[in-house]
Each structure stands twice: as structure tokens, then as C-alpha cells.
Amino acid sequence: WSASDFVGDAQAAADVAFAIYGSKRVTPNADLMIPGNGTKKKAIYGLATFDLASSTGQKGDWGVAYGHMGATYGYQSLIAYFPKLEAAIAVGTSLETDTQQHPSDTLCFAYNKAVD
């Protein structure tokens, strides 16, 4: 995971996501990063944070997810935090496509396995 000047494995990236968005945040104002927070508008992107609800396969509170996707030459990745589950998941791949579909699909499968 190095596109954001961070080098680590998937577990380390998930730990960073949990530290930013989780219940014991290292960033006191992380709420302001979440898309649409503080407004009545539905937003796709906040401060370095995407709304990833479409990648969960769930509705309602179980479908709430946010984090960040990334791509650079030769790989794609994402981190996501799920408030209802109080968990973070990171996905890193050595594949590169135009649509970044495989990190999103992997996130959906992993999250739904964790919810079961």
C-alpha cells in the first residue's frame, strides 16, 4: 500500500483505517471527512473519503461504509470502515483495470462474510 506515501500490508492498512474512522479515533474531527456529513446532501466524496455503501451489498445501517480507493501503475487497493460492524477492511491487488471493479467486489465478498 504505497500510493498515499504509506507502505504496509493489508492488515496495517486496515489498522490505519480503523485508527482514522473507528471508535477510538486518532483524528478528532474525522466526522468532517465523511461524505455529506454536516449537510443534508448525499455526497459521494468528502475530505479524502469516499462513500462506499455501493460496495457492501447491504442496505440501511449495515450498508454504511466509507474509506478510500486507490490505483497506480500495476495495482489497485481500497480501505473501508463499517460503523455498524465496527471494523475496517483493506484490499490490495496486483491487477490494474480502468474500472477498479476487483477491489470493490473483493470488499463486498469479505464484508458480507464478516456480517454472516
Side-chain angles (χ1 to χ4, degrees):
W1 200 290
S2 61
S4 65
D5 298 327
F6 169 86
V7 177
D9 61 13
Q11 180 63 59
D15 291 345
V16 168
F18 191 83
I20 293 170
Y21 303 113
S23 57
K24 296 181 181 179
R25 297 178 177 157
V26 295
T27 307
N29 293 321
D31 286 351
L32 300 175
M33 298 170 66
I34 297 168
N37 195 13
T39 71
K40 294 182 179 181
K41 296 179 182 178
K42 178 75 173 154
I44 295 171
Y45 195 68
L47 178 61
T49 305
F50 285 100
D51 177 349
L52 297 175
S54 64
S55 295
T56 66
Q58 299 284 332
K59 300 217 184 271
D61 289 344
W62 288 102
V64 175
Y66 37 86
H68 201 282
M69 301 179 342
T72 194
Y73 303 106
Y75 75 92
Q76 294 173 323
S77 57
L78 67 80
I79 59 169
Y81 177 72
F82 307 92
K84 183 74 173 171
L85 195 59
E86 293 187 29
I89 295 175
V91 176
T93 71
S94 60
L95 300 170
E96 180 185 3
T97 64
D98 291 337
T99 61
Q100 297 183 358
Q101 192 61 44
H102 52 283
S104 296
D105 287 350
T106 303
L107 176 71
C108 184
F109 284 117
Y111 176 65
N112 282 282
K113 183 67 174 171
V115 169
D116 283 345

